[in-house]
Amino acid sequence: MESEPTTDLIRAQLRRLRLKAELSQEEFGKLVHFSGSQVSAVELGQRPLDRFFLKRADEVLATGGLLTSLLKLAERAGQPSWFLPWLDAMRQAQQLRCYHPSLVHGLLQTENYARAVIRTDPMISDDEVEKRVSARMDRQSILFDPDPPLYVAVIEEAALRRADEGFRGLMVEQITHLIESAQRPRIHVHLVPTTIALHTGLAGPFSLARCRDGGWIGSQETQLGGDVVDKDEDLATLLATWESVRSEALSRQQSIDLMKEVMTSWS
């Protein structure tokens, strides 16, 4: 799970440095091209950390790069620095939208499925595999908080059928977990049936988090890791892509029925 002490430390240092510079949130906001309310939301943990914001804050407060350096502490906790803003966004999100064209999304993976997926990378040691599996399982706790986000996942039916006989038991376990998760009130799982041959989402996996202030932040996975998406025009593209992908998927109940049908084929 993301290092909350690290993100809390960044927020505390930001506020301390701003007050030391004798700047109000409104005054500071003008200098970093944010509103005073947005600065307040960042300091209070109501808005996820933003790389551009921290870079501007370092320049305005003449910190010598302190805040962006603290961001890199995530690497020491086993998380790449680019991932920390997204982890922070997930922790703060009121709504999460996630799509993957070939796998079950990480927040819905069973431990055995996650281990099998991570082990496909031949460059990762067994110890590192177990660390990543543990971190992935820990992140799922956000779905079971007292006030969890509304989590909407779109999954390709083909992803549930794509495995050989050696993974029969693993897939039965994974689909069972999906069905149980999809029946929780704050988790919606929608399948894109195999009858939909092509759609815009097949270009790659992405996720979107709606923050408490109503803004969005996105994440895209790549072969080299991933990118956090925070520019308005890029977010608009991802939101439009999401609407297109979601429109191709089945309803919640139809998806549960199809998952049961797929599980029967595996069992």
Side-chain angles (χ1 to χ4, degrees):
M1 188 161 58
E2 72 272 19
S3 177
E4 292 189 21
T6 301
T7 57
D8 289 345
L9 175 61
I10 294 173
R11 298 180 198 281
Q13 288 297 317
L14 172 64
R15 185 173 188 278
R16 181 186 68 80
L17 291 165
R18 177 181 61 77
L19 292 174
K20 183 178 179 181
E22 299 183 345
L23 292 169
S24 69
Q25 291 177 335
E26 197 67 38
E27 291 168 335
F28 180 66
K30 290 179 180 178
L31 294 172
V32 296
H33 311 307
F34 273 61
S35 68
S37 62
Q38 288 175 320
V39 172
S40 175
V42 170
E43 291 183 354
L44 292 173
Q46 297 171 348
R47 180 187 175 96
L49 296 171
D50 180 284
R51 289 177 296 172
F52 171 77
F53 176 87
L54 292 180
K55 183 174 183 295
R56 287 289 299 150
D58 275 332
E59 293 170 356
V60 169
L61 298 171
T63 68
L66 172 64
L67 299 174
T68 49
S69 294
L70 285 173
L71 193 62
K72 294 179 181 179
L73 285 175
E75 293 177 342
R76 300 179 189 175
Q79 300 290 356
S81 58
W82 72 266
F83 201 36
L84 183 57
W86 174 245
L87 290 174
D88 193 40
M90 286 200 299
R91 181 165 65 92
Q92 301 296 332
Q94 289 187 325
Q95 183 180 144
L96 287 169
R97 300 176 177 180
C98 303
Y99 168 76
H100 202 296
S102 56
L103 297 171
V104 173
H105 187 258
L107 290 179
L108 291 173
Q109 292 178 4
T110 63
E111 184 174 331
N112 288 326
Y113 183 95
R115 184 175 289 109
V117 170
I118 294 170
R119 275 183 174 160
T120 59
D121 186 342
M123 303 300 292
I124 301 177
S125 68
D126 288 344
D127 285 346
E128 181 62 23
V129 167
E130 293 309 314
K131 287 179 182 178
R132 295 192 184 190
V133 170
S134 178
R136 187 165 298 183
M137 295 300 102
D138 283 346
R139 287 198 291 275
Q140 294 180 2
S141 66
I142 66 171
L143 300 181
F144 304 98
D145 287 343
D147 184 24
L150 173 62
Y151 172 63
V152 185
V154 175
I155 300 171
E156 297 286 332
E157 177 191 350
L160 304 185
R161 295 189 183 276
R162 201 166 125 257
D164 59 33
E165 288 298 313
F167 287 92
R168 180 180 294 273
L170 182 151
M171 292 307 299
V172 169
E173 178 189 51
Q174 176 61 71
I175 299 170
T176 299
H177 177 66
L178 275 179
I179 294 170
E180 292 172 350
S181 298
Q183 293 171 333
R184 296 178 64 87
R186 301 286 290 175
I187 299 177
H188 296 191
V189 179
H190 301 274
L191 295 190
V192 177
T194 54
T195 53
I196 305 298
L198 293 173
H199 62 82
T200 185
L202 294 174
F206 66 95
S207 299
L208 288 155
R210 188 174 188 269
C211 311
R212 295 179 188 176
D213 64 357
W216 292 88
I217 186 169
S219 172
Q220 286 185 294
E221 297 178 37
T222 70
Q223 288 291 327
L224 299 178
D227 295 295
V228 171
V229 180
D230 47 26
K231 293 182 180 179
D232 288 345
E233 58 269 30
D234 294 337
L235 285 169
T237 298
L238 283 187
L239 286 165
T241 301
W242 169 264
E243 293 301 328
S244 177
V245 170
R246 176 63 189 87
S247 70
E248 299 288 2
L250 300 174
S251 71
R252 194 178 184 189
Q253 187 56 53
Q254 287 174 323
S255 296
I256 291 174
D257 291 342
L258 181 54
M259 284 187 278
K260 289 178 179 179
E261 178 187 321
V262 175
M263 185 174 69
T264 299
S265 72
W266 278 113
S267 58

